[in-house]
Amino acid sequence: MTEASDYETALNKGERFLKRGNFLLAKRELEIAQSLQHKLGYQSNVELTAKLQKCDIGIKNQNAKEAIKRGRKLEKKGKLADALTQFEQAQQTAFEDWLPQKIKQLRQKIGHDRIFANINQVEQKHDWNTRLITYDETLSEPNLSKDEYQSLKDKKLIALVHLGHYREAYAWAQEQPPVSLSARYHLGYAQAAQGFYLGAIDQWLKLAATESNSVKNHTIGNHTIGNHTIGNHTIGNTIINNTLANKTIVSKTTNQTSSNNNSNSSSIDKLHQQIIALVPLAYQEAIQSTIPDNLYTQLLPLLKDNVNLKPILDDLKSRTITSLWNQAKYQEVAQHLLPLPKQPSVSELGIYARLYLQLAVNNIEYLQMAITLWLTAIYNPFLIQQIITPSKKTQSISAESLQQSLQKELDQLFEQYDRQGLINNSLRGHYQTEKRVIQAISSWQIPHEHQKIWPCTSAYAAQFDLSNAVLKSIDSWSSMEQWDESILSIAVYFTATGYSLQLAEMGETDRAIANLPKSKPNDKLSLYCWQKVAWICGLELVMNGNPKGKSYLMEALPLLVEYPQYRKDLIEITLGKHNFDKLLGLVDIMERFAYQIDDLEFREAAANFLCQKSIFLANKGSARSVYKRYVDRARSLCPNCYSVQDTYTQFNNLTYHEQYNRAYSKGKLSAIVAVIERSKYNRNLVKHFLTAMEKATIKILDSNTTNPHKIKKLQEILVYTKRAAPNSVFNIVMEQIIDELDT
């Protein structure tokens, strides 16, 4: 083979390897071709030179990629220095955008590792001065992460506390609050050491509220949270006497741990003991400045069983409630005062009444109880007197005027919700009942020496188990056997069945009936309630088409017999604007009542009601035998009643009109006149008949028949008109016409 052919072969191989990306083989072949080119005396090939340069670039890129691959593997293995060498080597030839940032990160990380390795070595020596210097130096490093920076800040705070630099530690924490459990504990210590007992308690209470396992098991070095000793100062060895005069917060001792701490107790328990030890001085600090609103709530779980600190806890509660009240934070006040006590005192009644009214301003769910407490409070003479007495400005205000003013507050709140459409029947009924009850009882001169809360609403009595006491007071004032309905209608709300009556008045018919006793009661008050519920529910059911209502109304008959007002109410219902469809079921009941009640007015109303039903059925197209039956029953019940007689006449006239129309349609004059005679010459029928005969006469006169034929027809008409209207002028005119035709 000649050198020329070797040249071509090498050149072709080099180009093929170049296309495949095999830069090393391509370069070897192309260099052979370049060498032969000079031997053969060929001119320099620019393209060959360019291809060789391309091979050099490709080889460098491949080397860089291999270096990057090795660098990534080394980085994963944690060999950061070797990885950095590979990435730096790759950067010399590779043009990757991310490589400079990667190299920078690795250099920083290697530096961090060295720095924090140094910190670990320092922390093993327990030299707090050296630690503090190391932490300060490291904090000045420019490339710390957020977490690293925070961790170092926490460690510096701990070091400052260990060295007794409490003020500096506290100031350091203000820049950025500590995060670690240990740092938070030390911050509390620094606060306590400076006399900031409230801050220390707040810090430690929040710490104690952290996940218990996190706190219990958390240690830093050899110092465990909850039993931490700093220098010669131990928190936890504090003696609290029964009186608040002798208080010690930090006992300086050479012991590493408090001898009073049980070594077997958890660190959480120890932390609680330290908090309790701070309480007396924190209390003194609080009353000399401003008590935090949450202090009582925070301390309550710890101190509720602590007899020695109970006076402090009680006073904190009182001061906290007062502070919250002055800030109008009523919902938070409620958290301290609710639930309601079993038997509120008079002063407590005033507090809870105002609290519930304020809560109800923004939440309608509180309105029902607000109504009960507020009405009871404003009608209480002792509370009213307390309101009037303190201020000279109100000396001229009478109890009644003040009562009306306070009542207006509640009325306005109720009306506000009512305008918004938020008052349901239940709440409306509750308000009406409570007002009616308290106003009635307050007007009775009932002795109540043994009852602190008097008068009270029925719901208040039920809430605080006072119902029997109220009934006894009323009975001692007036014997139950002598009670009229003015007393019965109020006293009934204090009975067990009174709730059924309230439900009935609210329109809760089914619930009212379900809450009635299974058997009819025997005592006067409960029986009255039974009958009144039966009356209200019976009316509701009957007027809604439920036949069961009739039996309930019959149970209420004694009320109608004894109290005229119920009869008047029933009469008003029948005469009211109700759709008569709703009243149909009452007709039979009212008729039965009328036979058993000696009341002529009621009997006449019942008879009139029967007639109304008769007319209603007639207008609906019922058969005459159906609607006439009710008229007959009305006549039997009250035969001399004008309205009954009038209805009876109307129905008879209706019957005659029907008979007349049938006879008229057949053209039988004799049958028509017979109906008129039976109707006793009903004016409308006579008028209609004469009009028809007048038209017939004109038609006969206008016909082309002979006069004798006309006379015969007219005489025939005259016979029937004289029977139907003997005294009518029509007859005279007819006779004159006949005479003229005859002549």
Side-chain angles (χ1 to χ4, degrees):
M1 183 177 295
T2 63
E3 289 183 345
S5 62
D6 289 342
Y7 169 77
E8 292 296 332
T9 300
L11 185 61
N12 291 333
K13 282 183 178 181
E15 289 177 345
R16 285 199 303 272
F17 285 134
L18 185 61
K19 286 180 181 179
R20 294 173 185 171
N22 195 332
F23 298 108
L24 283 173
L25 293 178
K27 182 177 181 181
R28 187 188 70 183
E29 295 297 330
L30 291 174
E31 284 177 341
I32 293 172
Q34 189 179 45
S35 174
L36 291 172
Q37 177 183 350
H38 293 305
K39 287 183 179 181
L40 293 171
Y42 294 158
Q43 291 183 353
S44 297
N45 189 334
V46 177
E47 290 184 2
L48 179 58
T49 303
K51 289 174 183 177
L52 283 168
Q53 290 175 351
K54 188 174 182 181
C55 286
D56 290 337
I57 293 171
I59 290 169
K60 288 180 180 180
N61 287 338
Q62 283 182 340
N63 290 336
K65 288 180 180 178
E66 291 297 324
I68 289 171
K69 188 181 295 185
R70 290 192 297 272
R72 284 174 173 168
K73 288 181 179 180
L74 290 167
E75 184 181 10
K76 288 182 179 179
K77 293 179 180 180
K79 298 179 180 181
L80 302 184
D82 293 338
L84 178 61
T85 300
Q86 293 297 322
F87 286 127
E88 287 175 339
Q89 179 183 333
Q91 190 183 28
Q92 294 175 6
T93 55
F95 299 98
E96 300 288 348
D97 294 339
W98 55 270
L99 257 180
Q101 184 64 27
K102 167 60 76 173
I103 292 170
K104 182 180 179 181
Q105 289 175 352
L106 281 175
R107 287 173 179 169
Q108 290 174 351
K109 191 167 182 60
I110 291 170
H112 277 61
D113 288 349
R114 291 170 183 159
I115 291 170
F116 284 99
N118 180 49
I119 289 175
N120 288 335
Q121 290 178 357
V122 170
E123 288 177 343
Q124 297 300 318
K125 297 178 182 180
H126 305 292
D127 181 346
W128 289 103
N129 276 310
T130 304
R131 285 194 189 189
L132 182 59
I133 293 170
T134 304
Y135 296 149
D136 274 332
E137 290 175 350
T138 308
L139 282 168
S140 63
E141 286 291 325
N143 297 313
L144 293 173
S145 69
K146 183 178 179 181
D147 291 342
E148 289 169 342
Y149 188 76
Q150 181 64 58
S151 175
L152 285 168
K153 280 182 65 69
D154 287 356
K155 290 182 177 184
K156 178 178 177 179
L157 186 149
I158 294 169
L160 288 169
V161 174
H162 274 271
L163 293 170
H165 303 327
Y166 306 125
R167 184 175 298 178
E168 186 179 349
Y170 180 73
W172 179 247
Q174 302 314 300
E175 294 182 14
Q176 186 172 345
V179 173
S180 71
L181 300 176
S182 182
R184 289 162 59 191
Y185 172 80
H186 284 78
L187 173 59
Y189 189 98
Q191 290 173 291
Q194 296 177 86
F196 303 144
Y197 308 115
L198 288 171
I201 283 181
D202 182 64
Q203 191 66 234
W204 285 350
L205 283 170
K206 290 176 180 177
L207 185 62
T210 311
E211 181 89 25
S212 60
N213 287 334
S214 300
V215 176
K216 185 184 298 184
N217 300 323
H218 188 82
T219 60
I220 296 182
N222 294 324
H223 305 278
T224 304
I225 292 179
N227 189 22
H228 184 68
T229 302
I230 302 177
N232 293 327
H233 306 283
T234 302
I235 290 183
N237 187 21
T238 303
I239 300 172
I240 303 173
N241 293 334
N242 291 339
T243 63
L244 301 180
N246 182 19
K247 311 175 193 72
T248 305
I249 179 59
V250 180
S251 175
K252 295 186 177 181
T253 175
T254 57
N255 296 326
Q256 184 176 3
T257 59
S258 169
S259 60
N260 293 331
N261 285 338
N262 185 342
S263 60
N264 295 324
S265 65
S266 70
S267 53
I268 284 289
D269 292 336
K270 293 176 183 178
L271 184 57
H272 285 168
Q273 291 170 16
Q274 293 179 3
I275 293 170
I276 292 172
L278 288 180
V279 167
L281 288 184
Y283 169 72
Q284 290 297 325
E285 179 189 355
I287 62 177
Q288 292 171 12
S289 55
T290 302
I291 297 178
D293 290 341
N294 64 343
L295 181 60
Y296 170 76
T297 305
Q298 289 178 313
L299 292 176
L300 180 60
L302 285 178
L303 304 185
K304 61 182 179 180
D305 297 323
N306 191 312
V307 177
N308 292 335
L309 296 179
K310 188 177 186 302
I312 289 180
L313 192 64
D314 290 345
D315 188 58
L316 280 177
K317 180 178 181 180
S318 176
R319 291 172 182 270
T320 299
I321 291 172
T322 301
S323 173
L324 292 171
W325 190 282
N326 292 335
Q327 298 174 66
K329 296 180 178 180
Y330 302 112
Q331 194 65 50
E332 294 180 40
V333 173
Q335 293 174 6
H336 293 294
L337 291 181
L338 298 182
L340 292 166
K342 291 183 178 179
Q343 289 286 349
S345 64
V346 174
S347 58
E348 286 176 331
L349 169 61
I351 292 171
Y352 282 108
R354 173 58 71 178
L355 173 62
Y356 266 90
L357 190 70
Q358 294 296 345
L359 291 172
V361 169
N362 296 313
N363 190 339
I364 195 173
E365 292 181 5
Y366 292 99
L367 184 55
Q368 182 163 327
M369 183 55 72
I371 289 168
T372 294
L373 295 174
W374 190 254
L375 289 175
T376 301
I378 67 175
Y379 278 88
N380 187 284
F382 302 108
L383 280 177
I384 290 292
Q385 194 60 40
Q386 287 176 14
I387 296 172
I388 294 176
T389 303
S391 173
K392 294 181 180 179
K393 295 180 180 180
T394 59
Q395 288 294 325
S396 60
I397 299 178
S398 66
E400 184 178 358
S401 298
L402 181 57
Q403 197 175 79
Q404 291 174 354
S405 175
L406 295 171
Q407 171 74 64
K408 190 174 182 181
E409 282 190 56
L410 182 59
D411 289 339
Q412 289 174 340
L413 179 59
F414 189 89
E415 291 166 3
Q416 174 186 324
Y417 280 120
D418 200 13
R419 287 192 297 271
Q420 297 172 17
L422 299 176
I423 301 296
N424 56 30
N425 290 337
S426 176
L427 192 54
R428 191 183 308 280
H430 173 76
Y431 191 30
Q432 293 170 348
T433 300
E434 293 287 82
K435 282 200 295 186
R436 189 165 68 249
V437 168
I438 197 73
Q439 289 169 358
I441 289 186
S442 64
S443 67
W444 300 341
Q445 301 301 315
I446 299 178
H448 50 276
E449 292 81 2
H450 302 294
Q451 288 181 244
K452 296 179 181 178
I453 307 298
W454 183 272
C456 67
T457 69
S458 56
Y460 186 94
Q463 175 75 28
F464 300 108
D465 197 23
L466 298 173
S467 298
N468 289 335
V470 172
L471 290 175
K472 286 180 181 178
S473 295
I474 299 175
D475 189 46
S476 65
W477 169 64
S478 173
S479 175
M480 185 183 294
E481 297 305 318
Q482 299 175 353
W483 290 358
D484 58 16
E485 196 182 19
S486 65
I487 299 177
L488 285 171
S489 62
I490 298 300
V492 69
Y493 294 109
F494 294 91
T495 66
T497 52
Y499 182 57
S500 291
L501 179 56
Q502 282 187 290
L503 289 171
E505 291 173 334
M506 295 173 191
E508 301 279 349
T509 302
D510 293 338
R511 291 179 61 202
I513 294 172
N515 276 275
L516 281 174
K518 294 182 179 179
S519 57
K520 186 185 294 187
N522 296 321
D523 65 282
K524 180 176 181 179
L525 186 57
S526 298
L527 184 59
Y528 168 81
C529 182
W530 174 288
Q531 293 166 350
K532 191 155 186 177
V533 171
W535 167 251
I536 296 171
C537 294
L539 281 174
E540 180 70 19
L541 290 170
V542 169
M543 293 181 69
N544 282 287
N546 192 330
K548 291 183 179 179
K550 294 182 180 180
S551 61
Y552 288 113
L553 286 176
M554 290 307 300
E555 292 283 350
L557 176 60
L559 292 179
L560 280 83
V561 173
E562 189 168 355
Y563 306 113
Q565 186 59 46
Y566 291 91
R567 303 197 290 271
K568 291 179 181 178
D569 291 344
L570 186 54
I571 292 173
E572 287 182 6
I573 290 173
T574 64
L575 298 176
K577 297 180 180 180
H578 297 285
N579 191 325
F580 201 80
D581 286 336
K582 284 184 164 289
L583 303 177
L584 289 174
L586 290 175
V587 174
D588 295 339
I589 289 294
M590 193 167 180
E591 181 184 17
R592 292 171 66 181
F593 283 168
Y595 278 112
Q596 300 183 58
I597 298 173
D598 186 15
D599 184 336
L600 180 59
E601 181 184 359
F602 185 78
R603 180 170 289 216
E604 288 180 349
N608 183 56
F609 199 23
L610 285 164
C611 290
Q612 288 182 55
K613 184 169 183 178
S614 179
I615 295 170
F616 176 80
L617 294 173
N619 292 334
K620 287 283 188 179
S622 300
R624 183 161 57 91
S625 60
V626 174
Y627 60 73
K628 186 175 180 299
R629 186 188 313 139
Y630 287 94
V631 178
D632 293 339
R633 283 162 58 180
R635 293 180 68 201
S636 175
L637 180 63
C638 192
N640 297 322
C641 179
Y642 171 78
S643 61
V644 173
Q645 293 300 330
D646 183 60
T647 303
Y648 178 75
T649 301
Q650 289 181 35
F651 275 125
N652 279 340
N653 288 339
L654 183 61
T655 301
Y656 293 138
H657 274 81
E658 291 174 354
Q659 294 173 353
Y660 176 87
N661 289 335
R662 285 197 298 271
Y664 188 83
S665 64
K666 295 178 181 179
K668 294 183 178 181
L669 295 180
S670 59
I672 293 173
V673 173
V675 172
I676 292 174
E677 289 173 338
R678 286 199 300 275
S679 72
K680 296 182 179 179
Y681 304 99
N682 180 279
R683 183 180 301 174
N684 291 331
L685 296 180
V686 170
K687 182 179 179 180
H688 184 275
F689 178 68
L690 291 178
T691 300
M693 292 303 97
E694 182 180 349
K695 292 179 180 179
T697 299
I698 294 171
K699 187 175 181 180
I700 292 170
L701 292 174
D702 290 342
S703 66
N704 295 326
T705 58
T706 61
N707 284 348
H709 183 268
K710 292 178 181 178
I711 291 171
K712 182 180 179 181
K713 290 289 186 181
L714 293 174
Q715 287 176 340
E716 196 175 318
I717 290 173
L718 184 59
V719 170
Y720 290 109
T721 57
K722 284 183 176 182
R723 285 177 58 189
N727 300 321
S728 174
V729 176
F730 181 83
N731 296 329
I732 298 172
V733 173
M734 285 290 286
E735 288 176 348
Q736 290 175 352
I737 292 171
I738 291 171
D739 288 342
E740 289 177 3
L741 290 174
D742 191 32
T743 58

